[in-house]
Amino acid sequence: MSINFNNAIGSQLKLARTNKGWSLDIASKNTNVSKAMLGQIERGESSPTVARLWDIATGFHLPLSYFFLAIEDDDVSKNMLNSEAGISISTLFPFDVETKSEVFSLTLASLHQQISAPHNDGVIEHILVIEGDMEYLLSGQWHHLSKGDVVKFNANQKHGYRNVSEHQAVFHNIICYTNEDKTTR
């Protein structure tokens, strides 16, 4: 039996908070997400955006895919997180303790731009463009990528992605956590 996506994320958030012994106030301070919003997410009343979920994962020092662990459905389309508009993310490989990595597939709608706050130290992102043309932001500059292009960078700085075409852009994002204490559960 599959579990509702919002409820799954909420359950994982509550579990992470309980494991740390954090109140909603402490969780809010560590994630820069309001106490009210964290409560709504825990209750399954709100669907967090990709950026907000990253803020939460970073604040808890957890891999992003941690929040998808309670999803029991193998249908990738049902394991997809949709942002407010223009971006969707699905887990290809959840966090692996041995490799300290996880792999996602991201789809950017036509001309969509997504900016990400810095992740924890030791987080390295790899991008492999599967379809379309896109750009990634690093050190305040946009860099072009086309189908088949790859790049990797330290994600402990502001970075972003944007689709520069009228067609969707799809890329795989491999995230490696090189700093061991950043992936404790």
Side-chain angles (χ1 to χ4, degrees):
M1 177 182 211
S2 87
I3 187 169
N4 174 285
F5 196 76
N6 288 350
N7 289 339
I9 291 172
S11 294
Q12 289 301 109
L13 173 56
K14 188 169 186 169
L15 180 61
R17 196 169 60 77
T18 301
N19 287 343
K20 291 238 185 224
W22 288 357
S23 66
L24 282 173
D25 283 326
I26 293 171
S28 176
K29 288 175 184 153
N30 281 285
T31 62
N32 293 317
V33 176
S34 75
K35 178 179 164 182
M37 178 56 67
L38 289 171
Q40 290 173 355
I41 294 169
E42 278 192 10
R43 293 186 301 274
E45 297 170 358
S46 179
S47 180
T49 63
V50 173
R52 184 153 319 201
L53 201 54
W54 256 117
D55 289 341
I56 295 168
T58 298
F60 277 92
H61 300 285
L62 291 168
L64 183 62
S65 63
Y66 165 84
F67 292 97
F68 308 131
L69 293 177
I71 299 169
E72 300 168 5
D73 197 322
D74 290 332
D75 182 358
V76 166
S77 67
K78 292 182 181 176
N79 295 334
M80 191 170 283
L81 177 66
N82 294 307
S83 185
E84 58 281 354
I87 185 171
S88 62
I89 180 172
S90 61
T91 305
L92 298 178
F93 295 100
F95 179 74
D96 181 279
V97 175
E98 283 188 38
T99 63
K100 297 187 181 8
S101 63
E102 56 191 348
V103 182
F104 299 98
S105 179
L106 286 87
T107 301
L108 300 174
S110 174
L111 306 175
H112 179 76
Q113 177 175 299
Q114 187 76 29
I115 303 297
S116 182
H119 302 318
N120 293 320
D121 288 338
V123 176
I124 298 172
E125 290 196 27
H126 302 74
I127 299 170
L128 167 60
V129 182
I130 304 300
E131 176 185 329
D133 288 302
M134 62 174 284
E135 294 181 337
Y136 71 99
L137 174 69
L138 205 58
S139 302
Q141 293 187 6
W142 288 97
H143 308 275
H144 186 82
L145 296 171
S146 295
K147 180 178 178 179
D149 288 344
V150 296
V151 67
K152 77 175 184 176
F153 57 88
N154 289 322
N156 63 348
Q157 58 189 306
K158 181 179 174 182
H159 56 284
Y161 315 102
R162 70 180 177 193
N163 183 346
V164 294
S165 75
E166 295 293 326
H167 305 286
Q168 75 177 13
V170 178
F171 65 99
H172 290 174
N173 190 349
I174 299 103
I175 302 171
C176 298
Y177 300 84
T178 61
N179 193 348
E180 263 185 74
D181 65 349
K182 300 299 183 188
T183 58
T184 57
R185 292 185 186 225

